[in-house]
Amino acid sequence: MTVDRMLPTAEAHDLLDLTRELCERELAPQAAEFEARGEFPREVVRTLGRSGLLGLPYPESDGGAAQPYEVYLQVLETLAGTWLAIAEAVSVHTLACYPVYAHGSEKLRKQLPDMLGGELLGAYCLSEPQGGSDAASLQTKAVCDGDGRWVVNGTKAWITHARDADFYNIFARTGGPGARGISCLLADAGTPGLEPQKAEKVMGLRASAPAQIVLDDCKVDADRLVGAEGTGFTIAMEALDAGRLGIAACAVGLAQAALDYAVGYAREREQFGRAIADFQGVGFLLADMATQISAARALLLHAARLKDAGRPFSIEAAKAKLFATDMAMRVTTDAIQVLGGAGYVSDHPAERWFREAKVLQIVEGTNQIQRLVISRSLVRDV
């Protein structure tokens, strides 16, 4: 089904047309094969970068496309409807460019055109094996060696692009305990002591499986500090506010794909001499799926428009991430129910979408953390 979109400019309509064309030509023919092999589609991501899709919300002066967030997120949604691993890769890369864009020195910012053009792929190294939701307690340490370098030791976990990235934002403790002791360092791939581990064996998103990164006396030049020392936690949280919108958009796109497939199947599948779509039990299920998707999309775009207007949006981003990803889990579950036994086999994509939806409830802050953020804002505002 075609989504009726209200886009702000004719250029935005052209951009969505380009995205759909790339989905049809570059993504759809390869998705199942790459997922089956568990191989990251680096050249596909590079193609998207050269088409201008990896720097959409950043200024043209830095190599971006100067698109509002409401447009960027609808591009992500469109990509996710064809191949979630690609949409998630674009979202994570966009997130990984933020520290240098917003807080990098003039020297570091010279890399932005290659970052935003997709020639350089980014990773965001915040989580650790013992510290996921409690990011302020991270234990990776960076110490000055007296020769103008930071020596970093620790382990990062669940890192998207860990084995494929060209640059890594490493959040490490350079001071005392708590959030104020954390700084952000930018390290290139191949930096001695930066050691990506084998990919995790994951339920979904197998073409973009995360991995741990071991930092073993990893030496990073002092001028690769992003922002001021001790501001890393603030940088990380700023980036995650926007990143949550990206994950919400991925959830909406995934759910839309599941609905479209379920509707098509229900129209064609006959039982008792009628298409199963004619039975209320199935029709009402589809109606609820469609309504939940529309509600999630509206919540997402409201948060995006607040961001575009320069207004506070972090609580609305948390709401959008929470609602959209829980919705995607419900919708993909119901899509399998509509397909019945066919939905449980890999001949149909519904089972992959179901497996992929689960991770969206976890990444960029679990949905329990989103509920905590939202509830605390309510108490604080009383």
Side-chain angles (χ1 to χ4, degrees), residues 57-81:
Y58 292 100
E60 291 179 342
S61 58
D62 292 314
Q67 290 297 314
Y69 238 74
E70 70 164 300
V71 174
Y72 158 64
L73 294 176
Q74 291 181 81
V75 168
L76 271 188
E77 179 193 333
T78 303
L79 293 171

Side-chain angles (χ1 to χ4, degrees), residues 250-334:
C250 288
V252 172
L254 189 72
Q256 185 69 57
L259 172 64
D260 292 350
Y261 198 88
V263 168
Y265 184 87
R267 285 172 172 168
E268 296 178 1
R269 173 69 167 166
E270 291 190 359
Q271 292 288 276
F272 307 103
R274 301 164 59 189
I276 64 171
D278 292 337
F279 292 98
Q280 267 191 2
V282 174
F284 283 11
L285 202 60
L286 296 172
D288 286 344
M289 293 161 69
T291 302
Q292 291 172 53
I293 293 168
S294 292
R297 184 179 290 114
L299 189 58
L300 170 67
L301 292 178
H302 171 63
R305 287 162 183 154
L306 287 176
K307 176 174 171 53
D308 288 333
R311 295 173 58 181
F313 72 97
S314 61
I315 302 304
E316 297 308 310
K319 292 176 184 176
K321 197 274 182 182
L322 167 64
F323 186 83
T325 58
D326 279 354
M327 174 278 297
M329 194 73 252
R330 288 192 299 270
V331 166
T332 54
T333 300
D334 289 345

Side-chain angles (χ1 to χ4, degrees), residues 158-241:
W158 313 112
I159 306 304
T160 300
H161 306 155
R163 297 166 59 83
D164 301 281
D166 299 294
F167 66 91
Y168 299 79
N169 295 283
I170 300 172
F171 293 89
R173 189 164 300 285
T174 57
R180 294 183 180 179
I182 297 171
S183 299
C184 179
L185 301 169
L186 185 71
D188 291 332
T191 300
L194 192 158
E195 303 169 1
Q197 305 299 294
K198 67 179 182 180
E200 303 285 359
K201 296 180 179 179
V202 289
M203 181 194 305
L205 285 177
R206 291 172 180 167
S208 185
Q212 289 192 354
I213 293 176
V214 172
L215 300 155
D216 183 11
D217 284 342
C218 175
K219 294 179 174 60
V220 181
D221 289 344
D223 61 4
R224 308 280 287 179
L225 179 70
V226 181
E229 186 175 343
T231 62
F233 188 79
T234 298
I235 293 170
M237 294 304 105
E238 288 175 1
L240 286 174
D241 279 343

